[in-house]
Amino acid sequence: MPDYTVTIPFALSLINIVLGIFILYGRRDWSTRVYALFVVFVALWCFSIGMIFYLESSPLVMFAINLNYISAVGTVLLFLIFTKLFPRKTWNLKTISIVSLPIFLIAALILLDPSLIIKSFVSRTDFRIEYMTYAIYTFVVYTYILSAFYSLYSSYRESKDYTEKSQTIVVALGTTCGYLVLLIPNIILPWFLDYSYIWIGPIASLTMTTAIGYAMSKHHLFDIKVIATELFTFLLWLILLIRVLTSDSYGDALVNGLILVFAIFFGILLIKSVIREVKNREKIEGLATELAVANDELNSANVRLKGLDKQKSEFVSIASHQLRSPLTAIKGYVSMLLEGTPSYGDLKAGKITEAGYEALDRVFKSANALVLIIEDLLNISRIEQGRMQYTMTDFNLRDMVKEIADNMTIVAREHKLDLTFGSNDDGNYTVNADSGKIRQVIGNIIDNSIKYTPSGSVKISLHHSDEGSVVVAVKDTGIGIPASVIGTLFQKFTRSEGAGKVNVTGTGIGLYIAQEIMKAHGGKIWIESPGEGKGSTFFIEFIKQKTQMTENTKTTQSTNVQSSDKFV
Ligand code: ADP
C-alpha cells in the first residue's frame, strides 16, 4: 500500500498545476496571471509537504521544510494581491512591490539560514523549533491572510454588480474553508512539535484554488440553478471516485470506474444544458430590458413629435390667417378693376386695356386658388387641433349634388369634358350632415375628376347601397390611379406620380380633408381604379342610421313616435 502522506500531497500538487494551466488557458489578464502563480505556489507547497514525508530520514528534509515555509508565504502574498486585482483592480505595481517586500525578506532570511524556523529535524514528531521566528512567521502569514479577507469584504461592500458580489463570496467561502481546515494540522500542531498531519493541508488547498478558479471562470454566469446542478454533479462524481478508490476487487473497481465515466459524461451534458438554458433566459431578459428601453424612448419621441405637430398646426393656422387678409384685399381691388369700377376714393383706375384685363383676370383666378389652398390649410389645422365644428341639419343630398354638378358643367366644358349627373332611383336621399362641409367634399371630388381627366367624361351618380346607405359616385375617364398608391392618397400632402403632369399646382390636401370630414360624419370615402390611364371612381358613402322622428317633424296624423331612415 502506498504511503498516502506522500501520494496525497504529490497528487494534489499535480492537480493544482493542471488546474492552473487550465484557468490560464482561457484568460490572460493580470488577475488570472496572479491566480496562476498562486496555484503554482500552492502546488509547490503541496509538493514540499510530500517531500517532507518522503525525505523524512534524509538530511535533505531541511530543504523540503524550508521550501514549505517559503512557498507558504508566497501563497499568502499572492492571495492578498489577487484580492486586490479581482474582481476589480485596486492596487498598482508600486503598492504590490511595497507589500511584497516583507515576504521577500522572509524568503531571503530562510534561504540564508536554513535553520531559522526549524532548528533540527529527526522525524515528523521529533524536531526542534525556533519559537521566536516561528511566531513572527505565523504573525506575518496571518496578517496577510486577514488583509486579504478584509479586501474581499471591501470589494463585496463596494461592488454594485451582482456577478462581482457573487464572485467575491465564492472566493471568500473557498479560501475560508481551506484556511480553517489547515489551521490545526499545518499551523497549530507544529507548535506542539507534530508534523504528522500536515498532509491534510494540500487537500484543503484544493478548496481554495478551485473556488477561486470557479469564481473567475464564471465571470458572466452566477446562477443558483447552475451552481446547484454543478455541486450536485461534482458530489456525485466525488462519491463515485471514492467508490472506485475503495473498491475491494479489480472487477469492482472496473464496474465503479465505468459508472464514474458515464456519470462524468452525463454530468457534463446536464451542466451544459442548464448553462444553455440560463444563458437563454438571460438573453431573453436582456432583450426584454432593451425592448422596454426602446419603448420608453419611442414613447418620449412620440410625446415630442406630438408637441412638434401641435406647434406646426398652430403655426400653419397663424400663417394662414395672416395670409388671408392681404389676399382678400388683392381680390377686392382686382375684382373692382375687372368690374370696371372707375375710381376708388381719390384714385382713378383709368381705362384697362384688353391685355391688362387678361392679366388681372389671371391674378384674380390665382388669388382665388390661393384662397382655397389657405382655406384647406386652415381646415387641416382645425382638424388636427380638434377645432373643426360641424352643424348638422337634414337636407336632400340629391339636390345638392345636382346643383354642384350644374355649376361644374361650365368648367368641364372649358376642359372639353362631358359632365353628366343622374340617380338610379327617386328614393329618399335626405341626409343629416353639415351641408357646407359636404358641399366642399363633393365639390373637391368632382373638381379633381375634371382636373385629372385630360379627355372623355365625368359621370356623377347617386344610389342606395345594398345595406341601404346613400352613395355618391364620381366616375371619370382620366389618368387613373396605380393600385400601389391608391391607399395612400388620403394621407396629407400625397399625390400620385402622374398627377403633377396634368395638374401642376395640386397640394395633396383635398382628399385628406374630405376623408376627415366623412369620418366625422361616420361615413366613408374610397377610390376604385382599374389602373393607370384607365380612369377612376370616387365613392362617398353616408351610412344609414335609424333615428327617431320627433313629434314636430311629423307630417302624418299619427300621434305615435315613428321610425324613419336617415343618412349621416
Ligand atoms: P391635389 O389634387 O391638390 O393634388 P387631392 O388631395 O385632392 O390633392 O388629391 C390627391 C391626389 O389624388 C392627387 O394629387 C392625384 O394624384 C390623386 N387624384 C385625386 N383625384 C383623382 C382622379 N379623379 N383621378 C386620378 N387621380 C386623382
Side-chain angles (χ1 to χ4, degrees), residues 240-271:
L240 291 174
L241 182 71
I242 292 170
R243 281 185 59 138
V244 175
L245 296 175
T246 56
S247 299
D248 294 334
S249 66
Y250 178 74
D252 265 8
L254 196 73
V255 173
N256 288 336
L258 271 178
I259 296 174
L260 177 64
V261 171
F262 275 116
I264 291 175
F265 178 71
F266 287 110
I268 290 173
L269 282 189
L270 177 73
I271 293 172

Side-chain angles (χ1 to χ4, degrees), residues 376 444-445 448-453 474 476 478-481 489-491 493-500 503 505-513 527 535-538:
D376 275 349
N444 183 27
I445 298 299
N448 272 353
S449 290
I450 296 171
K451 278 194 309 202
Y452 296 112
T453 305
V474 181
D476 63 50
I479 60 168
I481 301 162
L489 292 182
F490 289 102
Q491 290 165 11
F493 309 112
T494 315
R495 312 189 70 207
S496 76
E497 238 172 62
N503 168 31
T505 55
T507 53
I509 306 175
L511 288 185
Y512 167 75
I513 294 173
I527 319 167
S536 37
T537 310
F538 280 73

Side-chain angles (χ1 to χ4, degrees), residues 64-296:
I65 288 171
N66 284 323
L67 180 66
N68 181 258
Y69 287 116
I70 291 174
S71 53
V73 277
T75 58
V76 290
L77 171 68
L78 288 161
F79 176 49
L80 175 62
I81 296 175
F82 176 78
T83 61
K84 295 293 179 188
L85 298 179
F86 182 84
R88 230 173 265 181
K89 188 171 178 237
T90 47
W91 269 6
N92 55 21
L93 205 62
K94 195 174 151 201
T95 322
I96 292 174
S97 315
I98 295 170
V99 174
S100 305
L101 271 180
I103 300 295
F104 281 114
L105 190 71
I106 289 177
L109 288 175
I110 293 174
L111 283 177
L112 285 174
D113 179 5
S115 54
L116 192 70
I117 297 173
I118 304 297
K119 280 202 212 146
S120 63
F121 190 89
V122 180
S123 77
R124 64 186 72 169
T125 49
D126 183 8
F127 57 92
R128 284 200 310 129
I129 199 163
E130 184 64 67
Y131 283 104
M132 190 58 196
T133 40
Y134 191 57
I136 295 171
Y137 178 86
T138 317
F139 174 76
V140 173
V141 165
Y142 270 85
T143 309
Y144 276 73
I145 293 175
L146 292 177
S147 313
F149 279 114
Y150 182 72
S151 156
L152 283 175
Y153 169 72
S154 319
S155 337
Y156 178 82
R157 243 193 22 198
E158 279 155 26
S159 173
K160 302 224 167 12
D161 183 73
Y162 170 73
T163 311
E164 280 184 12
K165 274 189 186 295
S166 318
Q167 284 172 317
T168 318
I169 290 177
V170 173
V171 173
L173 273 180
T175 43
T176 310
C177 287
Y179 280 123
L180 281 181
V181 172
L182 62 76
L183 181 70
I184 296 175
N186 296 64
I187 309 282
I188 298 177
L189 282 184
W191 271 97
F192 300 97
L193 305 177
D194 190 354
Y195 257 15
S196 312
Y197 302 99
I198 54 170
W199 57 271
I200 295 175
I203 302 177
S205 76
L206 195 65
T207 334
M208 304 186 204
T209 47
T210 43
I212 299 176
Y214 184 84
M216 294 181 81
S217 64
K218 293 282 154 172
H219 202 62
H220 293 294
L221 199 67
F222 256 100
D223 186 273
I224 192 73
K225 203 170 164 186
V226 178
I227 295 174
T229 318
E230 283 169 343
L231 272 180
F232 169 76
T233 319
F234 291 153
L235 208 69
L236 187 76
W237 292 350
L238 197 71
I239 293 169
L240 291 174
L241 182 71
I242 292 170
R243 281 185 59 138
V244 175
L245 296 175
T246 56
S247 299
D248 294 334
S249 66
Y250 178 74
D252 265 8
L254 196 73
V255 173
N256 288 336
L258 271 178
I259 296 174
L260 177 64
V261 171
F262 275 116
I264 291 175
F265 178 71
F266 287 110
I268 290 173
L269 282 189
L270 177 73
I271 293 172
K272 273 193 168 171
S273 77
V274 173
I275 289 178
R276 204 176 312 123
E277 186 201 312
V278 171
K279 271 188 180 163
N280 282 345
R281 195 187 65 207
E282 279 182 352
K283 209 190 228 166
I284 291 168
E285 280 169 5
L287 285 177
T289 328
E290 276 173 26
L291 209 71
V293 171
N295 215 5
D296 276 357

